[in-house]
Amino acid sequence: MAGGRKERSGQLSGRGSRIAAAVGIGVLAGCIFAFLFPHGLVPSKLPTEIRPLKSNIEVDSSSCESSEKINLLKADIRKISDKNVELKRTVRELNEKLRLAEQGKGRAQEQIMVLGEPHKAGPFGTVKGLRTNPTVIPDENVNPRLAKILSKIAVNKELIVAIANSNVKWMLEVWFTSIKKLGIPNYLVVALDDGILEFCKSNDVPVYQRDPDEVIDSVGKIGGNHAVSGLKFRVLREFLQLGYGVLLSDVDIVYLQNPFDHLYRDSDVESMSDGHNNMTAYGYNDVFDEPSMGWASRLARENAWDQAVFNEELFFPSHPGYIGLHAAKRTMDHYLFMNSKVLFKTVRKDPNLKKLMPVIVHVNYHPDKLPRMKAVVEFYINGKKDALDPFPDGSE
């Protein structure tokens, strides 16, 4: 029995040694395989350690491309700037050629009027007037200082011009405040004394003071409204000689819309009317005499009032010993370019007319100008519905 156990024990011992050897070989083989193929036989993705390197390469490449693009853009900008300078030079040359062409056009039109073929009258109601209306050739030698100012202020060669001395200082303030509120940049005050010059400068208002002039100085510094108003045509001449279109404005006007948006530009003169209806505004060239307004304004001294002289020069026909202006004329809508008689006698009493927004209101019929101007501002700009109610129709 003892001999049999020893033999079995030896057999078990030999089998265990073989198993141990096999396990050892397997472990060794596994280590070798792991060493040779750390990511398996078919790696599913690239090593993570390489990814940052790839990312860095992409960033560096993108950075290089951006730098090249920036350099190309800078080169393009330089080319565009050079072309812009060249275009500006070309525009200046074209403008000069256009000016010369317009000069020739004016002369050609005069010849056409003399030598051109006669025009037949068309059907009733279809005939329009033929006008030359030649372009004015600017002459900066007339007033180089004014020419420099206008080149900075005017828009499309147009601007509003008012003439003022210290007698109308507070009306002038309402005047330019309404213009500023609308954002109109092209306006200018012609100061007739030092007080208005400084007042405009302190309020950032474009202002111009003429060189000493015996006639203008004597009237401008001490004259009343009518005397000062009579100077405007003398002053206006220089603006026209410099080639500018002028909206000549009194200072007793409140601006409610930009007037340049409502001009027709089809006539030599576009003017508002002192008339109060279709007949008096568009068909009658005298001043209406109505005692109910508190004062009679028939032209007893016609040569003393600028409006009367203006009407005479503009409307009087040619006759023996006199050659008329032959100027084309347009009268503006009296509800848009409204005088104070239309406003206080008609518009404020009509619910429908009160809804209209005028372009301007000219307080020309009433001597209490400043309070009425302020009332116009309150009514149309600030929306105070009863602002016009306290005033009488006339000036009583």
Side-chain angles (χ1 to χ4, degrees):
M1 295 293 292
R5 278 196 297 271
K6 283 183 181 179
E7 184 177 357
R8 191 179 297 120
S9 175
Q11 292 175 351
L12 292 172
S13 176
R15 186 182 299 170
S17 297
R18 287 196 298 272
I19 292 172
V23 170
I25 292 170
V27 171
L28 179 60
C31 290
I32 293 171
F33 185 85
F35 180 79
L36 294 176
F37 303 98
H39 302 291
L41 291 174
V42 184
S44 60
K45 54 184 178 180
L46 294 176
T48 56
E49 294 80 6
I50 299 178
R51 289 182 198 159
L53 179 60
K54 180 180 179 183
S55 178
N56 289 336
I57 292 173
E58 290 177 350
V59 171
D60 293 340
S61 175
S62 176
S63 177
C64 292
E65 291 178 0
S66 298
S67 299
E68 292 177 1
K69 289 180 179 179
I70 290 173
N71 291 332
L72 289 174
L73 286 172
K74 288 182 178 178
D76 289 341
I77 291 173
R78 284 194 295 270
K79 291 179 181 178
I80 292 172
S81 298
D82 294 339
K83 289 182 179 179
N84 190 35
V85 172
E86 185 178 347
L87 284 172
K88 287 182 178 179
R89 188 183 304 113
T90 303
V91 169
R92 286 196 297 269
E93 293 174 356
L94 289 174
N95 285 335
E96 179 62 20
K97 290 180 180 179
L98 179 62
R99 185 185 69 80
L100 295 174
E102 290 289 350
Q103 179 178 353
K105 176 184 175 183
R107 294 172 180 171
Q109 286 175 329
E110 292 177 357
Q111 294 175 0
I112 289 173
M113 292 299 294
V114 176
L115 304 176
E117 296 181 0
H119 293 267
K120 294 182 179 180
F124 181 79
T126 65
V127 179
K128 294 184 178 180
L130 299 175
R131 300 182 295 105
T132 58
N133 196 21
T135 301
V136 175
I137 303 172
D139 183 6
E140 294 190 0
N141 294 325
V142 170
N143 191 329
R145 184 164 66 91
L146 179 59
K148 186 176 180 180
I149 294 173
L150 297 183
S151 67
K152 298 177 180 178
I153 295 175
V155 176
N156 297 326
K157 303 288 285 187
E158 297 177 333
L159 72 160
I160 301 171
V161 177
I163 301 172
N165 63 13
S166 294
N167 292 334
V168 295
K169 178 178 179 179
W170 302 119
M171 285 192 293
L172 180 67
E173 183 178 40
V174 178
W175 178 86
F176 66 64
T177 299
S178 68
I179 291 177
K180 285 185 174 183
K181 191 174 184 66
L182 292 171
I184 301 173
N186 48 330
Y187 69 102
L188 179 70
V189 175
V190 177
L192 296 178
D193 57 38
D194 294 337
I196 287 296
L197 179 66
E198 296 305 319
F199 181 63
C200 288
K201 287 181 177 180
S202 65
N203 286 278
D204 195 26
V205 171
V207 63
Y208 161 72
Q209 190 172 36
R210 300 178 83 260
D211 294 331
D213 183 292
E214 183 177 353
V215 175
I216 290 180
D217 288 348
S218 61
V219 176
K221 292 181 179 180
I222 59 175
N225 288 343
H226 287 299
V228 171
S229 187
L231 295 176
K232 59 189 177 186
F233 300 110
R234 183 184 181 101
V235 175
L236 174 64
R237 180 179 176 83
E238 289 184 345
F239 288 80
L240 299 180
Q241 287 178 291
L242 293 172
Y244 289 86
V246 177
L247 185 61
L248 194 59
S249 174
D250 290 344
V251 296
D252 54 348
I253 289 177
V254 177
Y255 286 80
L256 303 169
Q257 297 188 61
N258 189 329
F260 295 107
D261 295 337
H262 298 271
L263 299 179
Y264 289 83
R265 298 174 179 84
D266 64 347
S267 305
D268 297 307
V269 179
E270 297 185 51
S271 177
M272 69 168 295
S273 173
D274 287 346
H276 59 278
N277 55 30
N278 287 347
M279 178 59 191
T280 57
Y282 312 132
Y284 192 58
N285 67 351
D286 201 351
V287 176
F288 193 75
D289 185 22
E290 186 174 358
S292 67
M293 288 300 296
W295 53 283
S297 49
R298 182 70 63 177
L299 300 180
R301 293 183 294 276
E302 295 182 351
N303 61 348
W305 191 21
D306 65 288
Q307 185 63 55
V309 175
F310 175 81
N311 287 344
E312 282 185 7
E313 294 295 330
L314 195 59
F315 288 97
F316 273 16
S318 298
H319 53 264
Y322 174 77
I323 298 177
L325 289 182
H326 303 291
K329 304 168 284 292
R330 171 179 285 276
T331 300
M332 308 307 289
D333 188 321
H334 67 278
Y335 286 125
L336 292 180
F337 292 78
M338 189 184 299
N339 61 60
S340 58
K341 178 176 180 178
V342 173
L343 174 61
F344 286 97
K345 192 168 184 180
T346 305
V347 171
R348 66 169 175 171
K349 301 175 183 179
D350 188 307
N352 291 322
L353 292 177
K354 287 176 70 174
K355 298 176 183 178
L356 296 175
M357 176 61 74
V359 176
I360 66 169
V361 172
H362 186 187
V363 186
N364 56 338
Y365 269 92
H366 300 86
D368 50 341
K369 296 179 181 295
L370 184 57
R372 290 189 187 243
M373 289 178 71
K374 291 180 177 180
V376 169
V377 172
E378 289 294 323
F379 181 78
Y380 284 109
I381 298 178
N382 297 331
K384 189 177 179 182
K385 301 303 181 182
D386 59 348
L388 304 176
D389 295 347
F391 299 92
D393 288 355
S395 56
E396 65 272 8

